[in-house]
Amino acid sequence: MNVIFIAAGSGSRLGNLTTNLPKPLVPVNGKSIIERQVSLFQKNGIENITVVVGPNKDKFRLKNIEYIYDDKHLEHDQLGSLMVASEKINEDTLILFADIVFDEIILQQMLNTKCDIGIAIDLDWEKSYEERMDNPKDDADKVLLSEGKITKLSKEIQFENNKLKVGEFLGIIKLSNRGCKIFKKNCEEFYKKNDSNREFLKQAKVLHILQEINLNKEIITPIPIEGKWCEIDTPNDLAYAEKSFS
C-alpha cells in the first residue's frame, strides 16, 4: 500500500510555532504530528510512505520516508500539492492531510474497508468544536449523506431535512487500484475544465476533487469512524490534541 501525506502548507494560523517549522512537525506532547501518523503505518507494516513538503522542507528528517518538494507551494493549495505526487497514486493508496492526529482504530477501519474510493467521516463532529473555539464549524469540510450515500461534499453545506446527515471529512482517503485510476482521471478532467479559471485552481482543495468525482456519479464510500482524531490548525486545536493524545 502507498501512503501520501500532503504537508506543503504554511500553517500560519499556529502563529510563532510555524515561523520556521512546518506544521506537521509541531509537537503534540513531545512527538510531532506527522511522526505520530507515520509510526501508526509502520506499526501496521506499511512502509511505502511519501510526504509532499513545502516551506522549511529541510526540517523533515524522519527516516525511510520519500520526500517530494512542492516548489510551487505558494502558487496553489492542497490539490496542487497532491498533484506533485500524482505518480504515487497507484495500486492501493491512502492520501492524508499531514496536520491531523488519530488513533490506531481509525487506521484499522480504513484498512479493513473494501471500496474503490472511501473517505473517513466523523458523524459526531460538532462536539469537538465546543472546545476548538478559534476554529469555527463553518470551516469544516462537510459531507452530506442521504440513506448512507454521499450526496454532496462542501464547506458550505446547509441542511434542515431530518432525513439527511452531515459528517466531517477527516482528511483521509482510501483508493483501490481502480479507485486511483478514477481519481487521477477526474483530476485531469477537473484541471482541463477549469483551465480558464486559474484563480479557482490556485485555491482548489481535495474536497473540490471529491465533489467533482461525486458529481460524475462515481461511488465514494463514506467510512464513519470510531475513535479519536483532531485536525490541528490553531493554538486551541493544539491544546485540544494534547489533552486527547498522550
Side-chain angles (χ1 to χ4, degrees):
M1 170 167 281
N2 300 315
V3 175
I4 304 170
F5 286 106
I6 307 171
S10 64
S12 59
R13 293 172 67 188
L14 279 169
N16 293 335
L17 286 171
T18 50
T19 300
N20 297 303
L21 189 70
K23 182 165 67 165
L25 296 182
V26 169
V28 177
N29 291 326
K31 193 173 183 180
S32 75
I33 297 169
I34 197 163
E35 185 180 0
R36 287 173 174 272
Q37 295 178 318
V38 167
S39 65
L40 281 182
F41 287 109
Q42 292 176 338
K43 179 182 176 182
N44 284 272
I46 301 170
E47 302 286 347
N48 193 5
I49 300 171
T50 300
V51 181
V52 182
V53 297
N56 299 298
K57 60 183 174 63
D58 295 335
K59 299 288 181 71
F60 286 91
R61 292 170 186 161
L62 291 176
K63 295 180 179 179
N64 302 315
I65 303 295
E66 180 175 353
Y67 296 102
I68 297 179
Y69 178 51
D70 177 8
D71 60 356
K72 296 183 179 179
H73 59 87
L74 294 176
E75 299 176 23
H76 52 218
D77 211 306
Q78 291 171 348
L79 187 58
S81 289
L82 177 58
M83 290 300 95
V84 174
S86 61
E87 67 178 25
K88 299 292 183 179
I89 305 175
N90 59 73
E91 300 180 348
D92 290 337
T93 300
L94 280 171
I95 298 169
L96 301 96
F97 297 166
D99 61 353
I100 58 174
V101 289
F102 52 90
D103 57 19
E104 188 171 5
I105 190 173
I106 291 176
L107 175 58
Q108 290 293 344
Q109 286 176 269
M110 298 301 295
L111 295 177
N112 292 336
T113 300
K114 304 299 182 184
C115 60
D116 286 324
I117 303 175
I119 62 173
I121 303 290
D122 184 357
L123 294 175
D124 198 27
W125 63 284
E126 293 179 281
K127 185 181 297 183
S128 69
Y129 284 86
E130 295 172 5
E131 298 190 51
R132 301 172 64 196
M133 292 158 298
D134 54 356
N135 204 337
K137 288 192 292 184
D138 287 349
D139 284 348
D141 288 343
K142 291 179 278 294
V143 181
L144 188 66
L145 300 105
S146 176
E147 299 180 348
K149 297 180 180 180
I150 293 173
T151 60
K152 187 176 182 180
L153 305 99
S154 173
K155 286 184 182 293
E156 287 75 39
I157 285 175
Q158 301 291 328
F159 67 103
E160 296 179 357
N161 189 331
N162 291 333
K163 293 183 179 180
L164 303 179
K165 291 184 178 180
V166 173
E168 181 175 9
F169 169 51
L170 273 65
I172 309 175
I173 304 170
K174 182 181 183 182
L175 302 173
S176 68
N177 185 46
R178 179 175 181 272
C180 286
K181 294 174 182 177
I182 294 170
F183 189 90
K184 290 201 287 188
K185 180 175 182 289
N186 276 268
C187 285
E188 182 180 344
E189 292 173 353
F190 177 80
Y191 274 91
K192 286 180 180 178
K193 184 173 77 173
N194 293 287
D195 183 62
S196 61
N197 192 351
R198 293 305 176 95
E199 286 305 310
F200 171 65
L201 289 180
K202 285 180 182 179
Q203 300 173 46
K205 297 183 181 293
V206 168
L207 201 68
H208 289 121
I209 195 61
L210 290 174
Q211 174 62 1
E212 186 76 6
I213 293 169
N214 182 59
L215 289 173
N216 288 336
K217 307 300 183 184
E218 297 289 355
I219 295 174
I220 300 177
T221 301
I223 306 173
I225 58 93
E226 297 176 3
K228 295 184 298 182
W229 77 284
C230 182
E231 180 183 25
I232 300 174
D233 284 327
T234 69
N236 264 348
D237 290 348
L238 181 57
Y240 178 76
E242 291 194 318
K243 187 170 73 172
S244 302
F245 294 87
S246 59

